[in-house]
Amino acid sequence: MTVYLVGAGPGDPALLTLRAAEVLATADVVVYDRLSVASLLDLAPADAERISVGKQPGGPRTSQEDINALLVARGRAGQQVVRLKGGDPFVFARGGEEAAALAAAGVAFEVVPGITSAVAVPAYAGIPVTMRYSSTSFTVVTGHEDPVKGEGSVNWEAVAALGGTVVVLMGAARCRAICDRIIAGGMDPDTPAAAVRWGTRPNQRTLRATLATLADLDPQPPATIVIGEVAAADLAWFENRPLFGRRIVVTRAQPQAAALAADLRRRGAEATELPVIAFEPPEDIGRLERAAAEVGQYDWVVLTSPTGVARFFEQLRDARSLGGVRVAAIGPGTAAALAQRNVVADLVPEQYVAEALLEALSEEGGPEEAGPGGPGRVLIPRAETARDVLPDGLAAAVWDVDVVPAYRTVAPAADPDAAARLADAEVITFTSSSTVTNFVDAYGADAAPEVVATIGPVTTATARDRGLEVAVEAAEHTVDGLIAALEDFFTR
Ligand code: SAH
């Protein structure tokens, strides 16, 4: 039984410490605040209890005494308790009070420090809190106490006199009074000042002014205020990333949706996963089983998706049966899935669409070279429903073609809060025709965010057909190509 007082960092989930992730993964109970990032709560086991002690909209805030009592009770009950707090648990977070209550009750506890917003939020705005010579100290002050009533214990005059950098947390609502007190304390009103709202998150905004004018910009909480010469530094890197702040919906199936969303987030986007397709075994798995067992009799195996590769190899009992068979992949994603299984594709067409694959295969053994038995036998393990371009084209060139269903694409149950997420988004990405079809069937074309982006011409045609206006189409028909096209669109 241990209660962990854990710092969750300032918002960016990647700023969680390894120790914090470790204790979250074994938690029985997570006690968290309103500003907690949802994806961090996902690190706890699915069946862990999650207790919000933040102020609920319209409801009361749980009192500190009640939180202390809750931690003590759960700790005594022998549970693994994670008390998750923004930033660092001992920086303006009442972690000290919770630790004292646990110590007094004889409940074992451990502190997992976190990256405090006092330092990390300015850093994400391109403001170093110290600079050699010009800013040799930084003072972190709470702005929670009312500086006008004089009831607080913050000596603003002393803060002003100290010089260096002043970082104010919880000060947005009282920005004017705080700046006035610091000016009254003797700091130059022209001293640079900045307020960073929602720091380290995709919706970060930085306001820059001076000590005298910052309040005119009306900074809203949650914001970190930085006052001092360093606040003039504009070493922006986070807000400069190509897709910064773009709210993008990903409709691919899992686990690919998570991978694409992660790629988008690395470029600054706020990515939402709304998978509109999922993969299931085909009606008759026996055909795939047999085809895999007899694969040695084919001249070519043609794979048209990473999922096709995965399902086919699940059935392939002995890798050596592929020995003399040549393997074609429709594009680099499929080729990469093959490479993961130690198979190097013999053929990847220059354009990653069925038409190009057909042409490339035809060049490998067109009708002229074809002997009496035709150019050869081709196995195509792929989705149960797919376009006929490739098999029909190959058959017309007298290849002996076996199309075998390797998986079925199905529509997952509609997401209940999809409407809100879609209304809030700016971009939607489609990586195949079936994502378009399922999306429109489930949510309607009108629900699509303003900018529709597709992986290539086939998906674009389906989208137009279903009433969507396509603004972005990848020139290279891969996920990386789609990301590049989005970057291009938004930086143009
Ligand atoms: N323990 C926390 C601070 C809690 S006080 C820490 O170490 O970071 C809460 C205040 O922190 C907010 O009012 C705001 O001033 C600041 N803060 C927390 N997260 C922030 C964020 N993402 N962006 C800007 N300021 C933030």
Side-chain angles (χ1 to χ4, degrees):
M1 60 162 219
T2 303
V3 178
Y4 296 89
L5 303 175
V6 178
D12 182 343
L15 296 182
L16 191 76
T17 65
L18 294 175
R19 181 64 181 145
E22 210 171 76
V23 298
L24 269 169
T26 57
D28 297 314
V29 194
V30 184
V31 181
Y32 65 96
D33 296 312
R34 188 175 58 95
L35 291 182
S36 299
V37 173
S39 64
L40 295 184
L41 296 180
D42 291 344
L43 295 176
D47 60 353
E49 192 181 347
R50 290 159 168 78
I51 304 176
S52 165
V53 292
K55 191 167 159 48
Q56 306 298 321
R61 178 191 294 274
T62 312
S63 74
Q64 190 59 48
E65 292 67 37
D66 288 349
I67 296 173
N68 294 353
L70 174 72
L71 297 178
V72 167
R74 296 312 185 96
R76 280 201 176 130
Q79 290 187 302
Q80 175 95 341
V81 185
V82 171
R83 170 70 176 113
L84 196 62
K85 290 169 168 293
D88 181 88
F90 280 179
V91 177
F92 300 136
R94 308 185 77 165
E97 290 163 56
E98 291 169 10
L102 292 163
V107 175
F109 67 92
E110 191 179 302
V111 182
V112 182
I115 295 185
T116 178
S117 52
V119 175
V121 169
Y124 268 55
I127 300 173
V129 289
T130 70
M131 275 289 218
R132 199 145 63 112
Y133 309 126
S134 65
S135 304
T136 52
S137 71
F138 65 98
T139 310
V140 182
V141 195
T142 172
H144 190 59
E145 296 168 349
D146 193 334
V148 178
K149 288 188 186 139
E151 66 186 1
S153 45
V154 178
N155 184 341
W156 291 102
E157 287 70 27
V159 168
L162 191 61
T165 304
V166 180
V167 178
V168 187
L169 300 186
M170 296 180 284
R174 300 181 198 281
C175 182
R176 185 170 305 279
I178 290 168
C179 292
D180 286 351
R181 276 286 294 275
I182 295 178
I183 292 171
M187 199 185 271
D188 183 349
D190 291 331
T191 306
V196 188
R197 185 171 195 224
W198 290 120
T200 80
R201 304 200 187 201
N203 51 341
Q204 172 176 311
R205 287 287 172 276
T206 305
L207 305 175
R208 288 166 187 282
T210 64
L211 187 53
T213 58
L214 185 64
D216 299 341
L217 302 179
D218 194 21
Q220 294 295 312
T224 293
I225 295 172
V226 192
I227 301 160
E229 289 308 321
V230 291
D234 188 3
L235 305 168
W237 56 275
F238 183 69
E239 293 176 38
N240 277 358
R241 288 171 308 157
L243 296 177
F244 176 73
R246 303 291 175 189
R247 295 180 305 279
I248 304 179
V249 178
V250 172
T251 56
R252 302 189 90 182
Q254 294 293 16
Q256 289 97 334
L260 172 54
D263 279 344
L264 291 168
R265 286 185 196 117
R266 269 193 285 281
R267 287 160 175 85
E270 194 169 344
T272 293
E273 293 157 39
L274 181 65
V276 296
I277 58 176
F279 302 123
E280 281 186 4
E283 292 291 347
D284 174 14
I285 189 79
R287 285 191 60 200
L288 183 64
E289 245 172 62
R290 282 191 297 280
E294 293 161 10
V295 68
Q297 300 170 13
Y298 290 91
D299 299 289
W300 282 93
V301 181
V302 177
L303 291 147
T304 57
S305 70
T307 309
V309 172
R311 295 301 150 93
F312 175 72
F313 277 80
E314 272 164 26
Q315 299 301 329
L316 189 70
R317 276 195 45 239
D318 186 340
R320 290 170 300 181
S321 51
L322 266 180
V325 185
R326 291 207 283 167
V327 180
I330 195 164
T334 306
L338 283 165
Q340 268 174 12
R341 291 159 179 88
N342 298 348
V343 172
V344 179
D346 297 290
L347 185 154
V348 182
E350 273 169 27
Q351 289 270 308
Y352 313 136
V353 292
E355 286 77 0
L357 182 55
L358 174 62
E359 203 181 304
L361 272 168
S362 305
E363 279 163 19
E364 292 288 325
E368 296 92 85
E369 296 101 84
R377 290 192 70 193
V378 184
L379 172 64
I380 312 180
R382 63 172 197 177
E384 210 164 73
T385 24
R387 294 193 307 146
D388 289 326
V389 174
L390 187 61
D392 285 359
L394 288 171
V398 296
W399 291 78
D400 182 359
V401 185
D402 281 336
V403 176
V404 176
Y407 60 96
R408 215 152 44 97
T409 43
V410 297
D415 190 319
D417 58 28
R421 287 154 70 196
L422 287 164
D424 191 44
E426 191 175 7
V427 185
I428 187 162
T429 56
F430 293 112
T431 48
S432 66
S433 286
S434 47
T435 57
V436 173
T437 308
N438 287 11
F439 174 81
V440 176
D441 287 349
Y443 305 109
D446 290 343
E450 192 178 324
V451 177
V452 174
T454 77
I455 199 162
V458 179
T459 307
T460 296
T462 309
R464 299 219 162 105
D465 199 45
R466 297 302 305 263
L468 295 169
E469 213 173 293
V470 177
V472 181
E473 182 185 286
E476 194 204 271
H477 312 313
T478 61
V479 170
D480 288 343
L482 179 58
I483 294 172
L486 281 170
E487 287 188 9
D488 199 48
F489 179 80
F490 284 112
T491 45
R492 224 187 295 136

